[in-house]
Amino acid sequence: MASTGFPAWIDAQFATARPGTHWAFPQRATEPVFSAAESFWTQAVRGADQLRQRVAFALSEIFVVSATSGELSVLAEPNVAYMDMLANNAFGNFRTLLEGVARAPAMGWFLSHLANEKEDPVTGRIPDQNFAREVMQLFTIGLWELNADGSRRLDGGGQPIPTYGQAEIAGMSRVFTGLSWAQNWWGPYDWNLPMNYYPQYVSGSEKRIVGGVVIPANTSGPESVRIALDTLFNHPNTGPFIGEQLIKRLVTSNPSRAYVGRVAAAFANNGAGVRGDMRALIRAVLMDPEARDPAKLQDPNWGKLREPILRISAWARAFNAQNSAGRLSFWGYDDPFDNLAQLALRPPSVFNWFRPDYSPPGSIRASGLVAPEFQITHESSTTGYANFVGDVVSTGFDVRFFHPDNPPIVGTYTAELALADQPDALLDRLDLVLMAGQLSAGTRATIRTAIDAIPTTATDASQRRVQTAVALCMMSPDFVVQK
Amino acid sequence: MSIPPEFDSSDRSHGSATRREALKTLGLAASVGVPLLAPMIATGSAAAQTADDYKAIVCVGQYGGNDQSNSVIPRSGAGYSSYQSARPTLAIPAANILPVTPTGFTGPELGFSPSLPGLRTLFEQGRCAVLANVGPLVEPITRAQWQAGTKPVPRQLFSHSDQFTIWESGLPDRTSQSGWLGRLGDVTAGAFNPNSQVSITMSIAGTTLILAGEQTIQYQVSPGGVVRVQDLTSLYGSAAGGAAVRQLLTQSRANLFESGFTTICSRAISNAGLVESALAAQPALTTAFPGTPLGAQARMVARMIGTRNQVAQKRQVFFISSGGWDTHNTLIEEHPGRLQELDGAISALYAATAEMGVANNVTIFTASEFGRCLQHNGRGSDHGWGGHHFIVGGAVQGRRIYGSWPTVALGGAEDAGNGALIPTTALDEYGATLARWFGASTAQQNTVMPNLSRFSRPNLGFLG
């Protein structure tokens, strides 16, 4: 990266092909939902398309489906198909991504607009409003009208202005009727194909949606959805709303309003008059002067907690972790007594593991800042993390409980073991491969003391010195917080 | 769906497979809220506390959906005949059913499963009540309205994870980041536990949504004891390594996020020490607990109740759970064992509270994602909706059937299909009744159960 520069690296990443689809993961059919998690980890750890992997994971935390619900908790197919959809659209256009989200069977299942029938005036039944609500609240415009820099617009009385009300939810719920499985209303369950329209179940009512848009009566299903998604895509909130969340997922928890404004401007226009260009959006997030400012490293308000999945993937990438069969069958590491409170593919709800505006009590809240990842950072998960690190560095990730036939996932420390007698060189290497150069002098001294306390003549000295160094790096706040 | 049998959390050695107690069987992991650093202002009735005003609530989760029809059973006459004819291969012989004699009850003669001798005794002693046909409802609904589809119903009815999530959130018509016992903690912790550093809600069964409040973060204890950071004194055999672990996890940092992380780590280490010391200081209980997973969890609840003064808590909310209730085709073989485990654990916990002199201060209640269909499928029963639940404790106005006893027959007034029960009492009413006893004001009951006003009985009466 240093030789090509960051912008060139980003361009090269945009051009890097996916390592393959999740759908093609070999164990998809034989190891149901577990294999979807393994496919996630395999691509996240080994993919050459690291930027796409990272962005796709971020998108999965915005456009949430969870393998805790119904068929998604059992089958691999809905999960891998949905991950493919996100990855395939990560570098495209937001409008296409939004269409993919809205028509994904996994989303239809999770937010119940799959096989959602039009209203029935005779019985009084109304369409399901689940997806209708979340596509606005969580996936595009949010609850409050925003300025171009993401701050809330205020009315004449100084109050924030809601983006929609119950009438718009009802209207939007009628838009998302008549969608079901690709081939037939009741199936087969084609998880890998977009949901299709079934005119007999599409509401023919007039649909009032956000921004005063009215979809006339007797508009077809596809046309209603097109108008609705175009309306959300073109809403002034969508750029700052999505842009701010991507900054929080990728860079820092508390971007300045100006930073959000610059990112939102890139969403609005990629420089060639195109709205919603994801490459322009991602470039703006990563290359913003605020994101690249070295002085920010000293700013006490800068940075973000690295969520547990990203800590594990950092370890697994740095040390080429795998089991003796060459697999990354991570599953079950969220045991709250030992582990991390974050199990891949299984956020507790459509609200993800944490909300973008979560602010923990104490000095962070007192400073008026947010720290989303702290929503899953508590006594149990911090204890679990420290114990997880102690175990995983020495004996690997023991998956036998969930995969009785699988050996543990272990890291390879060959390069580090060669430096076991040279603690400074060892720490330099760990600073490079694990710590993104953020190992502070104080933490380095603490770890150095611990390494030195193990005499080079002791039993298993090299191994213990390396394990000590790696584990302490991973427990350090320098690693846990990305700056 | 069942919870694996290994529960030995005392083995903290590196690389041990037994450490992973694996309470993760469902997608219930949820963790929200903020730690209780600052005491909240006492409000409402929760402020009225006295020196010996201690209360605890213990929720016993039954993952998989308990078959209510083989738990509380019409034991004679036409009632038994209807039961027997709906599930001939599953029906318990009338002679084996343990008779109970509820007061003020005009329905059929009832009995408990032969696997519930302890609860039957407690029932007859007036220490146990049954709440009949309770379940999640969006609003009251009749069979006709259900069949016509004219009333909203909980999302994803009959789905395990979704329905247990609803039992935990108390919100069947929307997504929630908090659970109703967590919200009960939110509204009572400041008033009753103003000086406690330990959360008012405590899980012995892993992270649960039900104990997560908007502010409250559940504290977790394993059945074997407090989970501690294992490398504080020695990392890979090195004391210096252990010292470095402590220093890195607890040092103060200039960056607010680093500081936030080390602050929480510090509290985790300090609370683990506090609770562990408090547990160690407890006299041994003479009450024997069954050697089952649920028995081990119940024993830890009793021990934590014993620490209430050391941890400065006048209010405690606990969650324990057992799995294996999803008896699609194993009802005959497995349901009796599940009931025995439940019966033994609850009976022992009640006895332990009596031994500690707090029997009147602790209320135990059961929860399960749904009841099951009355209709059999040969060897078991399929997912239902409403079910019967037990409430146990010295404060319980027991030997009574609360709610509305359903028609135990196919095609009855509450039949949602195949003998699944349309609930006639809402979970909201169940929870609000417990919350009221615990000290929640009327306004606070509505915080705990936000849809409560849609239902008519904020106090079902089983706690007076």
Side-chain angles (χ1 to χ4, degrees):
Chain A
M1 190 193 306
S3 59
T4 57
F6 198 33
W9 179 83
I10 292 173
D11 286 337
Q13 282 287 301
F14 284 154
T16 302
R18 295 188 60 200
T21 64
H22 293 291
W23 187 263
F25 189 72
Q27 286 79 21
R28 169 170 65 82
T30 53
E31 297 178 12
V33 70
F34 304 104
S35 66
E38 184 174 344
S39 186
F40 164 79
W41 282 108
T42 304
Q43 291 209 4
V45 171
R46 295 179 184 160
D49 59 339
Q50 278 297 298
L51 182 58
R52 186 192 296 270
Q53 296 293 334
R54 191 67 189 75
V55 170
F57 178 57
L59 295 175
S60 77
E61 298 194 273
I62 300 170
F63 307 102
V64 174
V65 302
S66 174
T68 61
S69 176
E71 295 288 293
L72 278 66
S73 69
V74 178
L75 300 174
E77 279 77 3
N79 298 294
V80 294
Y82 193 76
M83 288 193 291
D84 280 335
M85 187 280 297
L86 293 178
N88 289 337
N89 285 295
F91 297 157
N93 189 284
F94 184 84
R95 177 64 179 79
T96 314
L97 170 65
L98 186 60
E99 180 99 18
V101 168
R103 291 182 61 191
M107 181 59 80
W109 184 283
F110 186 59
L111 292 183
S112 50
H113 65 299
L114 188 155
N116 185 25
E117 295 183 32
K118 64 184 175 185
E119 67 276 14
D120 182 346
V122 176
T123 65
R125 190 194 61 239
I126 58 173
D128 189 288
Q129 299 181 347
N130 206 4
F131 182 75
R133 187 187 308 269
E134 308 309 357
V135 73
M136 295 189 285
Q137 179 181 343
L138 299 177
F139 302 163
T140 53
I141 63 175
L143 292 171
W144 306 102
E145 290 196 7
L146 303 177
N147 295 305
D149 63 0
S151 59
R152 285 186 191 171
R153 289 184 62 211
L154 302 178
D155 65 16
Q159 297 301 309
I161 306 161
T163 42
Y164 56 86
Q166 194 57 39
E168 287 78 17
I169 292 174
M172 198 64 93
S173 76
R174 289 194 285 271
V175 170
F176 293 101
T177 52
L179 279 164
S180 194
W181 301 102
Q183 298 182 57
N184 198 287
W185 183 258
W186 294 117
Y189 287 11
D190 293 314
W191 295 105
N192 206 21
L193 298 174
M195 291 190 286
N196 226 331
Y197 297 93
Y198 295 86
Q200 64 271 41
Y201 297 116
V202 172
S203 170
S205 305
E206 179 182 278
K207 299 144 189 150
R208 293 181 173 275
I209 59 172
V210 291
V213 172
V214 177
I215 301 172
N218 299 316
T219 303
S220 72
E223 183 63 5
S224 291
V225 170
R226 184 194 66 74
I227 295 169
L229 295 185
D230 279 350
T231 301
L232 294 173
F233 174 63
N234 290 309
H235 193 286
N237 271 29
T238 303
F241 184 79
I242 293 296
E244 181 163 343
Q245 290 199 61
L246 273 182
I247 295 170
K248 288 179 173 180
R249 293 298 93 243
L250 298 173
V251 179
T252 192
S253 293
N254 296 276
S256 71
R257 285 290 139 224
Y259 182 2
V260 175
R262 290 187 290 270
V263 168
F267 181 92
N269 184 344
N270 68 350
V274 175
R275 181 178 177 84
D277 178 354
M278 293 294 290
R279 296 184 185 208
L281 178 65
I282 293 161
R283 210 180 268 117
V285 167
L286 298 179
M287 291 306 301
D288 191 84
E290 192 167 314
R292 309 298 300 156
D293 180 1
K296 284 292 179 188
L297 295 174
Q298 309 306 320
D299 179 348
N301 295 352
W302 182 258
K304 65 190 274 284
L305 192 82
R306 216 188 279 234
E307 62 201 279
I309 283 174
L310 297 181
R311 296 179 221 162
I312 300 173
S313 61
W315 168 77
R317 278 182 61 72
F319 307 112
N320 188 28
Q322 55 189 293
N323 70 18
S324 59
R327 292 176 60 179
L328 279 160
S329 42
F330 281 110
W331 188 258
Y333 56 84
D334 74 334
D335 183 317
F337 297 143
D338 279 30
N339 298 327
L340 307 165
Q342 193 185 34
L343 184 57
L345 310 190
R346 293 171 73 98
S349 77
V350 73
F351 293 112
N352 195 29
W353 290 280
F354 38 77
R355 296 299 308 133
D357 56 354
Y358 178 76
S359 179
S363 51
I364 293 173
R365 185 182 290 181
S367 302
L369 303 179
V370 300
E373 292 83 356
F374 274 76
Q375 202 169 350
I376 52 169
T377 307
H378 42 67
E379 289 147 307
S380 301
S381 67
T382 53
T383 301
Y385 176 65
N387 292 343
F388 172 86
V389 168
D391 288 347
V392 81
V393 172
S394 61
T395 54
F397 178 70
D398 188 342
V399 295
R400 279 173 296 176
F401 193 93
F402 293 93
H403 295 276
D405 302 328
N406 285 358
I409 298 167
V410 296
T412 301
Y413 304 98
T414 311
E416 290 74 26
L417 286 167
L419 301 172
D421 294 350
Q422 306 164 58
D424 281 323
L426 173 61
L427 286 168
D428 285 345
R429 176 168 174 81
L430 295 179
D431 195 16
L432 176 69
V433 300
L434 192 63
M435 308 285 288
Q438 293 181 21
L439 180 61
S440 66
T443 297
R444 174 184 275 264
T446 300
I447 300 174
R448 171 76 201 257
T449 301
I451 298 171
D452 288 343
I454 303 168
T456 54
T457 55
T459 307
D460 297 330
S462 294
Q463 182 176 309
R464 288 173 60 208
R465 286 165 73 99
V466 167
Q467 289 176 352
T468 296
V470 173
L472 290 174
C473 278
M474 291 180 67
M475 289 186 205
S476 71
D478 313 50
F479 174 74
V480 172
V481 174
Q482 169 192 315
K483 293 191 292 294
Chain B
M1 284 293 176
S2 66
I3 291 180
E6 288 180 282
F7 265 81
D8 179 9
S9 64
S10 59
D11 180 355
R12 307 296 310 161
S13 62
H14 287 293
S16 162
T18 60
R19 287 178 298 96
R20 307 186 204 286
E21 290 99 323
L23 290 153
K24 64 188 31 46
T25 51
L26 299 168
L28 296 175
S31 43
V32 296
V34 297
L36 291 163
L37 284 178
M40 290 183 287
I41 305 300
T43 53
S45 70
Q49 60 172 310
T50 60
D52 54 0
D53 175 26
Y54 169 75
K55 283 179 179 171
I57 283 179
V58 184
C59 178
V60 185
Q62 301 164 282
Y63 288 134
N66 179 40
D67 185 280
Q68 79 285 351
S69 304
N70 271 20
S71 301
V72 184
I73 312 157
R75 63 179 157 89
S76 64
Y80 182 81
S81 297
S82 294
Y83 158 74
Q84 205 274 340
S85 66
R87 44 170 54 191
T89 62
L90 307 179
I92 296 170
N96 296 353
I97 296 169
L98 304 176
V100 294
T101 57
T103 53
F105 181 65
T106 56
E109 289 190 315
L110 298 178
F112 285 7
S113 159
S115 303
L116 294 172
L119 289 179
R120 187 263 199 131
T121 299
L122 289 168
F123 187 91
E124 293 297 294
Q125 292 171 345
R127 302 297 185 222
C128 169
V130 169
L131 178 55
N133 191 18
V134 59
L137 292 170
V138 174
E139 53 187 86
I141 182 172
T142 65
R143 187 176 187 224
Q145 290 165 332
W146 159 256
Q147 289 174 333
T150 55
K151 284 268 190 173
V153 295
R155 289 181 178 155
Q156 301 276 14
L157 272 177
F158 316 116
S159 155
H160 285 289
S161 53
D162 301 273
Q163 292 308 302
F164 208 95
T165 297
I166 287 171
W167 265 86
E168 297 195 291
S169 71
L171 288 165
D173 55 348
R174 68 188 109 149
T175 302
S176 173
Q177 300 175 78
S178 62
W180 63 272
L181 288 176
R183 295 192 293 270
L184 180 59
D186 288 343
V187 299
T188 54
F192 291 103
N193 302 349
N195 300 314
S196 183
Q197 291 299 306
V198 180
S199 174
I200 188 170
T201 67
M202 288 180 262
S203 177
I204 325 293
T207 310
T208 65
L209 177 62
I210 196 169
L211 296 184
E214 298 294 336
Q215 291 89 34
T216 301
I217 287 185
Q218 60 204 282
Y219 190 68
Q220 294 183 26
V221 184
S222 86
V226 174
V227 180
R228 310 194 64 161
V229 176
Q230 65 199 3
D231 298 318
L232 284 177
T233 52
S234 171
L235 178 67
Y236 309 135
S238 162
V245 169
R246 184 182 291 274
Q247 182 176 349
L248 291 173
L249 293 179
T250 62
Q251 66 193 311
S252 58
R253 304 281 291 202
N255 180 281
L256 282 175
F257 303 93
E258 297 180 356
S259 168
F261 177 74
T262 58
T263 298
I264 293 168
C265 290
S266 301
R267 195 175 62 244
I269 292 168
S270 132
N271 273 348
L274 170 70
V275 174
E276 194 161 72
S277 303
L279 286 171
Q282 295 308 307
L285 288 165
T286 59
T287 301
F289 281 81
T292 60
L294 193 66
Q297 296 175 57
R299 181 171 176 275
M300 180 48 65
V301 169
R303 296 185 64 206
M304 289 301 301
I305 288 171
T307 69
R308 63 193 179 279
N309 292 327
Q310 286 99 320
V311 299
Q313 296 195 328
K314 293 287 186 193
R315 288 292 184 275
Q316 295 180 313
V317 180
F318 297 99
F319 180 82
I320 62 178
S321 70
S322 69
W325 298 88
D326 193 21
T327 47
H328 284 279
N329 51 12
T330 55
L331 189 79
I332 298 161
E333 300 91 331
E334 294 188 0
H335 192 240
R338 298 275 64 75
L339 289 175
Q340 282 163 19
E341 181 180 4
L342 182 83
D343 187 73
I346 292 179
S347 301
L349 181 53
Y350 175 78
T353 62
E355 179 186 342
M356 293 186 287
V358 291
N360 294 343
N361 308 72
V362 178
T363 298
I364 306 158
F365 74 99
T366 59
S368 190
E369 61 262 51
F370 39 62
R372 307 189 77 82
C373 291
L374 175 64
Q375 188 165 48
H376 75 113
N377 61 21
R379 302 187 58 196
S381 56
D382 292 311
H383 301 179
W385 187 357
H388 310 322
H389 285 283
F390 299 100
I391 308 107
V392 171
V396 173
Q397 310 289 302
R399 201 176 172 182
R400 287 177 182 273
I401 308 292
Y402 291 89
S404 173
W405 182 257
T407 307
V408 183
L410 296 176
E414 303 85 3
D415 190 348
N418 302 322
L421 291 174
I422 300 165
T424 43
T425 294
L427 169 63
D428 310 62
E429 297 168 308
Y430 191 12
T433 303
L434 289 156
R436 177 180 174 275
W437 174 77
F438 199 66
S441 66
T442 300
Q444 290 169 336
Q445 280 181 299
N446 286 284
T447 301
V448 173
M449 286 299 188
N451 295 344
L452 181 61
S453 64
R454 300 175 188 176
F455 305 96
S456 59
R457 296 163 300 178
N459 179 12
L460 295 169
F462 57 76
L463 286 163

